[in-house]
Amino acid sequence: EVRVEESGGGSVQAGGSLRLSCTAPGFTSEDLDMGWYRQAPGNACEVVASISSDGHIYYGDSVKGRVTISLDSVKSTVYLQMLNLKSEDSGVYTCVASYFPPETAPKCCSKKYCAIDRFGYWGQGTQVTVAS
């Protein structure tokens, strides 16, 4: 099993920036994709960004141009740099190490609501709050 741990969430003013980190030791040897989901209360789960084991990168439409996902294989860490944050970016951001591209499983914000057997491994989530 791969343990996934996020860090870097917090509160920021609109227009500000945050960098989230996700450490998942062993994910490269498991040939896993890495991705970030987010969900705000009352809103649907959303794939923010992902990076596949072969380097393919995906960004959700709502964050394109404002978010960059990157990978440090040596540290087994994926970063999500977010710029020009908006109030609608607020939510719980959950990192996943998955056997399937996260963008093909938009409902898999959590294991509870993911219908794909053995989808992958989830972190606990980190809160991002953007004040307008």
Side-chain angles (χ1 to χ4, degrees):
E1 179 161 335
V2 176
R3 180 170 179 171
V4 179
E5 187 170 349
E6 308 100 334
S7 62
S11 298
V12 65
Q13 293 291 318
S17 62
L18 280 175
R19 189 178 79 159
L20 306 183
S21 300
C22 174
T23 301
F27 83 87
T28 54
S29 63
E30 294 270 343
D31 198 25
L32 294 162
D33 294 354
M34 297 291 293
W36 289 91
Y37 288 88
R38 73 181 179 193
Q39 188 165 27
N43 289 1
C45 177
E46 179 182 7
V47 180
V48 179
S50 70
I51 183 166
S52 71
S53 57
D54 61 359
H56 177 261
I57 290 177
Y58 168 89
Y59 293 111
D61 288 340
S62 64
V63 299
K64 282 181 180 176
R66 301 187 296 118
V67 166
T68 303
I69 189 169
S70 59
L71 168 66
D72 185 330
S73 297
V74 174
K75 296 182 179 180
S76 296
T77 299
V78 170
Y79 301 99
L80 187 70
Q81 178 69 54
M82 302 187 291
L83 304 175
N84 190 23
L85 284 162
K86 305 175 182 180
S87 57
E88 52 263 43
D89 292 318
S90 297
V92 176
Y93 284 67
T94 303
C95 181
V96 296
S98 61
Y99 295 101
F100 303 88
E103 60 269 27
T104 66
K107 295 183 178 180
C108 289
C109 270
S110 67
K111 185 175 182 178
K112 180 179 180 180
Y113 297 109
C114 186
I116 301 173
D117 187 35
R118 292 193 75 241
F119 176 75
Y121 309 95
W122 287 263
Q124 292 298 309
T126 185
Q127 178 70 44
V128 171
T129 302
V130 183
S132 56

